[in-house]
Amino acid sequence: EPWDWRFYAEKVRCANYNIDDTIVKPYFPLTRMVDAIFDCAYQLFRLKFKERSDIIAYHPDVKVYEVFEELEGGVEKLIAIFLHDNYARPHKRGGAWMSEYRTQTKNTIDGQSIIPI
């Protein structure tokens, strides 16, 4: 069946490359991978992610972060709100994807910038 592609992809990976996800996975826990990704974003783009546990998301598994750009002199500018939703759930689209709840704009009456979510 089409929904079994992950099962068969893992079989092909094991057969062709001798890689078993069940053996490799413990070396890459989610928290360490998230830290590594955020560090890369900082090193490449000077982006900082600050978790906001006081903001309630649409599901308890979702973590909310404010995203800041570090400008010259160490000044941080809020540029986005990031909803980090890593877990599969019924009625949730599978795979790696993103969407936005609010688009970024600078076309407001008072000229204020609206950050994306």
Side-chain angles (χ1 to χ4, degrees):
E1 297 296 324
W3 56 82
D4 289 335
W5 71 269
R6 288 185 183 159
F7 172 80
Y8 291 109
E10 180 61 20
K11 295 291 182 193
V12 169
R13 189 174 17 256
C14 285
N16 291 348
Y17 307 107
N18 198 24
I19 296 174
D20 183 350
D21 276 354
T22 59
I23 294 171
V24 174
K25 191 173 183 175
Y27 294 97
F28 298 94
L30 180 60
T31 54
R32 298 217 26 221
M33 293 298 93
V34 170
D35 290 344
I37 291 167
F38 288 172
D39 183 60
C40 285
Y42 180 74
Q43 297 298 325
L44 294 171
F45 307 109
R46 291 294 187 235
L47 298 179
K48 290 185 175 182
F49 294 77
K50 296 183 181 177
E51 187 173 355
R52 290 290 307 268
S53 55
D54 59 314
I55 298 176
I56 299 170
Y58 54 86
H59 190 276
D61 289 341
V62 177
K63 290 187 177 185
V64 179
Y65 295 87
E66 288 180 323
V67 184
F68 292 89
E69 180 182 13
E70 185 179 81
L71 305 173
E72 288 186 33
V75 176
E76 294 178 354
K77 176 185 174 188
L78 179 65
I79 61 168
I81 302 292
F82 174 53
L83 304 176
H84 198 201
D85 187 358
N86 282 296
Y87 301 104
R89 289 187 296 281
H91 310 292
K92 181 181 168 192
R93 182 172 43 173
W97 56 275
M98 64 171 254
S99 58
E100 59 187 359
Y101 290 100
R102 180 175 70 195
T103 59
Q104 180 177 4
T105 185
K106 294 182 181 182
N107 296 329
T108 60
I109 294 171
D110 59 2
Q112 293 292 318
S113 178
I114 296 177
I115 62 170
I117 299 176

